[in-house]
Amino acid sequence: EVRMEISMKEKIKALLTDSMWSIAGLMLMNVVVQFLVYPVWNNHLGSEEYGNILYLISIMNIIAISVGSACNYARMTESATKDTWNINYNIILMASSVIVIPVMLIIVKFCGVPMTVTEAVTFLILTILTMWRFYADVEYRLHLNYKGYFLYYLFISIGYLIGIVLFKVTGMWALALIPGEIAGLIMVFAKGSVFKKDTEFSKESFKEVFKVVIVLIITDIISNIVFNGDRLVLKIFIDGTAVTVYYIASLLGKTVSLISTPLNSVIIGYLAKYKGNLNLKFMNLVTVFSLAAVVIGTLLCTIASHILIYILYPQNYHEVKQFFIIANMAQVFYFVTNVITVILLRFSKARYQLYINVVYAAAFCAICIPVTLYLADMWAFCIALLVVCILRMAVSLFLGYKDALAQSQK
């Protein structure tokens, strides 16, 4: 019993330590992006043009993050039960890099934001690099190397700082981010193994991986469309300035929601080693911690918004402060639900991710879009989005309890 208690304490200590390295790395990168790169864009380009850039980044994220994260999480999930091979995932990423070229060119032509040829090309390059970068941190997650994970995002952050200088010199906004994406990939190419050939191609092995990746890509596309839907809907139905206002109002909440990525990395890394099943006691704990996290997260984000937004966006502060509570609460609900869905990914069917995000997308389309279209009001949009995020959490918890109850009856 004493040995078991020591072992449990060591596991908890390791989990907390790894979480801190993981969160510190991604938070560092996002602090550089959100609090240095983005304000520089806003100050140099103005609210309308800045809103257009946020809109373009949302389009990029829907594609790049969906593909990169799907390959990343598919590999982590597969590693829980069998050996994984680089070749399968690298082929998918290379094929995606080719497919994304005509897709992005069509988007550039019809997205409603005028761009020069050079701007369109740098935007395309940024999209492809971002896709690979989101996959590449699997190098450190597979081996539970969270110090390496921190260094990976440290290199990316340094690249972004260099990118700020390039943007100021050239005026091309995408160059503020491209050096960071390149820096992270160079680190993995130089020191890591996930981009190296490790076995001969097997049609059967690839087919098995491809099925899981496709489900996760579709799921992530739906999720990212809705996650970035605020910018898309506000740009389409109001204007670029509305995008800027909501983005600034929800900035702290969005920053916290980004913690879900490194936190989920740690969670799925440890759950991949855990051989037990989902049970009702565990789901009760998940529910209690989730609700507590929503309350605490919203409170902290609102307080921090009054301080940081006043410093970073003084020209916008008085216009956006009224939306701090409701905009941040929606993002915190989204963040907490992301953690729940990762737990479900480990213990439940992969298609549950699709169910959750289909409901989420349907609710967004049925509530947020009509409200914004007919009322064209920021408050109405904020309330509608909060309702959709609450519904997403409710569906996730329902599916978790459904599986836990089924396990208890066996």
Side-chain angles (χ1 to χ4, degrees), residues 231-385:
R231 301 178 194 179
L232 302 179
V233 169
L234 291 171
K235 167 65 180 174
I236 293 168
F237 296 123
I238 305 181
D239 55 26
T241 301
V243 176
T244 299
V245 169
Y246 185 79
Y247 170 77
I248 295 173
S250 62
L251 176 57
L252 271 294
K254 280 187 178 291
T255 303
V256 168
S257 74
L258 293 170
I259 295 175
S260 64
T261 301
L263 185 59
N264 289 347
S265 299
V266 177
I267 290 171
I268 198 166
Y270 278 91
L271 289 179
K273 311 295 182 185
Y274 176 69
K275 305 304 178 185
N277 295 318
L278 198 62
N279 56 60
L280 290 172
K281 182 180 179 181
F282 185 75
M283 279 306 303
N284 288 336
L285 286 173
V286 169
T287 303
V288 170
F289 278 112
S290 297
L291 295 176
V294 168
V295 174
I296 295 169
T298 302
L299 180 62
L300 292 177
C301 287
T302 302
I303 294 170
S305 293
H306 281 286
I307 299 169
L308 291 175
I309 300 305
Y310 183 79
I311 296 170
L312 295 172
Y313 296 92
Q315 70 273 33
N316 304 99
Y317 173 74
H318 293 289
E319 183 181 8
V320 304
K321 66 179 182 180
Q322 59 186 312
F323 303 111
F324 282 161
I325 293 177
I326 191 166
N328 284 316
M329 184 180 290
Q331 300 307 318
V332 173
F333 264 106
Y334 188 91
F335 150 67
V336 174
T337 306
N338 278 350
V339 178
I340 298 171
T341 58
V342 165
I343 294 171
L344 292 180
L345 181 61
R346 167 61 184 89
F347 291 108
S348 303
K349 303 174 184 70
R351 63 175 178 267
Y352 277 10
Q353 309 294 309
L354 185 59
Y355 296 162
I356 292 166
N357 287 310
V358 165
V359 172
Y360 182 39
F364 185 88
C365 293
I367 300 172
C368 289
I369 292 178
V371 163
T372 310
L373 174 62
Y374 290 109
L375 299 180
D377 177 75
M378 187 68 74
W379 269 109
F381 172 80
C382 289
I383 293 169
L385 184 58

Side-chain angles (χ1 to χ4, degrees), residues 12-63:
I12 292 172
K13 183 180 178 181
L15 178 61
L16 291 174
T17 302
D18 290 342
S19 296
M20 290 307 298
W21 278 114
S22 184
I23 290 171
L26 204 60
M27 283 299 293
L28 173 63
M29 184 195 72
N30 282 295
V31 164
V32 172
V33 172
Q34 308 283 356
F35 301 121
L36 293 178
V37 176
Y38 283 17
V40 167
W41 281 342
N42 187 50
N43 291 334
H44 280 70
L45 302 173
S47 293
E48 180 66 21
E49 185 62 27
Y50 178 47
N52 288 337
I53 291 173
L54 294 175
Y55 170 63
L56 290 173
I57 289 176
S58 295
I59 294 172
M60 178 191 78
N61 287 344
I62 290 168
I63 296 170

